[in-house]
Amino acid sequence: MLGSLSSKIHDEERQGEAYQPGVAGKKEFRKKFYIESYGCQMNFSDSEIVASILNENGFGATANYTEADLVLLNTCSIREKAEQTVRNRLHIFRQVKVSRPGMLIGVLGCMAERLKEKFLEEEKLVDLVVGPDAYRTLPGLVEEAESGQKAVNVLLSRDETYADISPVRLDSNGVTAFVSIMRGCNNMCSFCVVPFTRGRERSRDAGSIVRECIDLFERGYREVTLLGQNVDSYYWMDETAGQVVTFALLLEKVALIDPLLRVRFSTSHPKDITDEVLLTMQRYENICRYIHLPVQSGSTRILQLMNRTYTREWYRAKVDRILSVLPDCGLSTDIITGFCTETEEDHQDTMSLMQYARYDMSYMFFYSERPGTLAARRYADDVPEEVKKRRLDEVVRLQNRLSLEKNKEDVGKTFVVLIEGDSKKSAADWRGRSTQNKVIVFPKTGSTRQKGDYVPVKIEDCTGATLLGRIVE
Ligand code: 5AD
Ligand code: SF4
């Protein structure tokens, strides 16, 4: 699964970011929509598809929900907490609706299926509910809702990939963009709700992916992140070329667009990432030296209960292989603490595996039982909450130590940084990333560099989260 985060995919779920309207394009908009997104990068990417569909249908974006005709929440259901957050937001929107009765409120995304009855019928909190595969029907559903009908479409599809829709880049820095290459997931990790909320896995037409990346490059973007719940199982039969496009081949096609276009991807399942992918990365300097490889747990017994289909030893061997092909590769992971039956020994196995892999960064969570998942049906959620949280705290502290250690090793080295914009703290500094996905901040110091440029930066200092350096001319 996914996050950004700024280019993390699989972010810990991002919390309700409103979309800032950019250039509205040349179209005339009769009405205004507001959209707020939660969850993984895939969900943020979907909001860009929704924006495109709405633009085509006369809706322009606003960053202010009090003036919107249509207010949308694109929801996530990966953990329980997200549900309460969404409910609170919906109550706030309802208050605006009291003085603006024509305003429509909609729930999109992963919560749609599960909560449609509650939100729409029992609590009458929303006017429309639309699942992740039904966004093309949104304009029709808005019309239905306008005429006072209940507007719902939560059908999942076997083939919808929105391949032909050009996403409207929301909240973009104009340098980095996410490109969805597949949807859904066929893995059955026992803790995960995604196969239920997003349906079966399907790959998007390779030609449309490459065209979208070319278009982004021509518009000045310099980095694309190819997104999917499990990118390594990408598969497209290109009938005209009589060619099977695997993920490795897709990576190559995108890398060949231009050496100045950086290519990233997320997320890889350790069981599926192939040597072919690693060797393709090795061949192209513009495919970034960074792999997000969710481990979830370091205990073979827990991995088995999670249905991850690899062992601790197998994962370690995968890390070894990655580092032997790509010695300078950055690594990050996802970890869940307190999964069903997890003992202190299992937890120590997770900690020792973290030390083995020496992740640059991790997204860490405590286990949250999700209705309908394999684990919810088969296993008792038997680790007390305080134990889950204490273990999470230990994992977070270990990761902070590892991140700082790894960053300290970078002091004195020089990295090519793609400038993404001003640093968050000061407009006198640039902020960008190395190929390993590390955030690097450095003074502009009278140089004529711009957003989207590549610059060599020598690292002089660091925190656990950021490298600090200086341009070397
Ligand atoms: N509880 C806690 N964390 C979860 N994740 C997925 N499902 C759950 C759950 N039920 C985490 C996994 C996944 C990331 C996106 O979210 O680590 O890789
Ligand atoms: Fe993304 Fe949906 Fe999973 Fe949340 S539940 S992380 S939005 S796929």
Side-chain angles (χ1 to χ4, degrees):
M1 297 214 339
L2 309 189
S4 135
L5 329 178
S6 25
S7 47
K8 305 165 202 160
I9 299 228
H10 280 263
D11 215 3
E12 358 168 13
E13 76 258 36
R14 286 164 73 181
Q15 288 295 317
E17 289 173 31
Y19 141 32
Q20 303 296 324
V23 186
K26 297 173 210 84
K27 294 182 199 81
E28 282 290 309
F29 297 127
R30 287 173 286 114
K31 293 193 169 177
K32 290 182 180 156
F33 76 95
Y34 167 91
I35 190 165
E36 204 169 280
S37 310
Y38 293 78
C40 63
Q41 200 54 54
M42 193 68 144
N43 231 28
F44 280 71
S45 209
D46 280 4
S47 291
E48 302 190 329
I49 288 166
V50 169
S52 172
I53 293 170
L54 289 173
N55 279 181
E56 289 298 319
N57 287 275
F59 282 84
T62 170
N64 177 1
Y65 63 83
T66 61
E67 63 164 31
D69 303 286
L70 176 63
V71 172
L72 299 171
L73 272 189
N74 195 357
T75 61
C76 168
S77 49
I78 200 118
R79 281 167 287 274
E80 197 178 354
K81 196 181 82 192
E83 206 165 294
Q84 195 49 45
T85 315
V86 164
R87 197 178 295 276
N88 295 343
R89 288 305 279 162
L90 290 175
H91 280 287
I92 291 171
F93 299 148
R94 289 297 302 184
Q95 282 162 13
V96 180
K97 197 173 156 109
V98 175
S99 54
R100 303 186 69 233
M103 178 176 124
L104 295 178
I105 303 174
V107 163
L108 313 179
C110 290
M111 272 186 193
E113 161 63 31
R114 206 169 81 74
L115 292 181
K116 63 175 191 291
E117 261 127 53
K118 257 194 188 162
F119 285 165
L120 202 65
E121 283 156 29
E122 289 170 30
E123 302 179 28
K124 307 218 181 321
L125 272 176
V126 300
D127 306 290
L128 57 156
V129 176
V130 191
D133 285 346
Y135 296 143
R136 285 181 203 269
T137 65
L138 193 52
L141 292 168
V142 169
E143 275 179 30
E144 279 178 32
E146 278 168 346
S147 67
Q149 300 169 57
K150 273 184 222 134
V152 194
N153 188 347
V154 293
L155 289 177
L156 290 173
S157 157
R158 281 186 171 264
D159 46 28
E160 178 63 273
T161 59
Y162 302 110
D164 55 315
I165 293 181
S166 299
V168 171
R169 304 290 158 187
L170 304 176
D171 222 3
S172 166
N173 58 16
V175 178
T176 60
F178 294 90
V179 174
S180 166
I181 66 163
M182 56 204 296
R183 300 181 69 81
C185 186
N186 284 358
N187 289 326
M188 275 288 168
C189 301
S190 62
F191 51 79
C192 190
V193 80
V194 172
F196 307 97
T197 62
R198 288 188 164 266
R200 306 291 293 169
E201 179 183 293
R202 62 225 101 117
S203 296
R204 175 180 168 191
D205 178 333
S208 79
I209 296 169
V210 174
R211 281 194 296 278
E212 187 175 328
C213 295
I214 292 174
D215 176 60
L216 284 164
F217 184 73
E218 286 174 350
R219 285 159 51 204
Y221 285 82
R222 290 295 174 262
E223 183 184 295
V224 290
T225 302
L226 307 181
L227 282 185
Q229 247 79 30
N230 185 12
V231 290
D232 304 284
S233 55
Y234 178 86
Y235 177 94
W236 182 257
M237 179 65 210
D238 182 346
E239 304 283 355
T240 29
Q243 181 187 43
V244 169
V245 184
T246 59
F247 180 59
L249 187 53
L250 181 70
L251 264 182
E252 177 164 58
K253 284 175 186 283
V254 178
L256 283 170
I257 291 173
D258 196 293
L260 287 178
L261 182 67
R262 275 187 174 177
V263 189
R264 299 186 187 277
F265 54 89
S266 193
T267 293
S268 306
H269 193 302
K271 80 172 162 55
D272 291 328
I273 187 164
T274 59
D275 249 29
E276 203 194 347
V277 165
L278 301 179
L279 297 170
T280 305
M281 291 173 76
Q282 195 185 45
R283 278 204 305 280
Y284 294 92
E285 215 186 317
N286 59 328
I287 306 181
C288 290
R289 285 351 185 208
Y290 169 65
I291 299 179
H292 182 64
L293 199 68
V295 66
Q296 312 298 359
S297 167
S299 151
T300 296
R301 189 182 69 83
I302 294 292
L303 287 168
Q304 199 169 10
L305 293 180
M306 287 177 162
N307 201 21
R308 293 289 289 177
T309 72
Y310 52 84
T311 62
R312 167 189 178 82
E313 290 69 31
W314 198 92
Y315 185 93
R316 281 171 53 143
K318 191 54 90 175
V319 170
D320 293 346
R321 180 66 189 152
I322 291 171
L323 295 178
S324 76
V325 179
L326 306 161
D328 59 345
C329 191
L331 272 184
S332 63
T333 201
D334 291 348
I335 292 169
I336 299 177
T337 65
F339 187 67
C340 313
T341 78
E342 187 188 73
T343 62
E344 283 309 316
E345 201 186 335
D346 295 320
H347 170 59
Q348 290 307 325
D349 281 349
T350 298
M351 305 264 283
S352 66
L353 189 54
M354 288 171 75
Q355 279 166 303
Y356 184 84
R358 301 191 74 228
Y359 299 112
D360 297 284
M361 185 187 51
S362 297
Y363 300 105
M364 297 155 284
F365 317 95
F366 65 83
Y367 175 58
S368 162
E369 185 178 83
R370 306 312 293 134
T373 55
L374 244 61
R377 282 181 278 143
R378 280 193 199 154
Y379 315 123
D381 180 12
D382 57 359
V383 177
E385 182 145 323
E386 66 273 16
V387 175
K388 288 179 182 174
K389 288 189 173 164
R390 194 252 303 148
R391 290 180 189 163
L392 177 61
D393 187 55
E394 287 174 14
V395 161
V396 168
R397 274 190 286 151
L398 172 57
Q399 183 55 56
N400 288 345
R401 206 186 79 212
L402 290 173
S403 300
L404 184 60
E405 271 175 29
K406 297 273 305 246
N407 280 356
K408 280 187 177 160
E409 289 169 14
D410 287 339
V411 174
K413 294 185 190 161
T414 298
F415 294 96
V416 177
V417 178
L418 171 61
I419 302 178
E420 291 177 15
D422 288 351
S423 110
K424 283 182 188 147
K425 289 198 186 132
S426 160
D429 294 338
W430 288 123
R431 171 188 196 276
R433 274 165 210 274
S434 65
T435 180
Q436 290 84 3
N437 207 36
K438 288 200 181 174
V439 174
I440 303 186
V441 171
F442 52 99
K444 295 181 178 173
T445 49
S447 102
T448 54
R449 313 292 186 156
Q450 300 195 357
K451 226 163 78 153
D453 285 351
Y454 290 95
V455 276
V457 175
K458 185 166 184 191
I459 306 307
E460 297 177 335
D461 201 357
C462 70
T463 67
T466 313
L467 299 176
L468 307 164
R470 207 160 278 286
I471 300 178
V472 283
E473 300 290 351

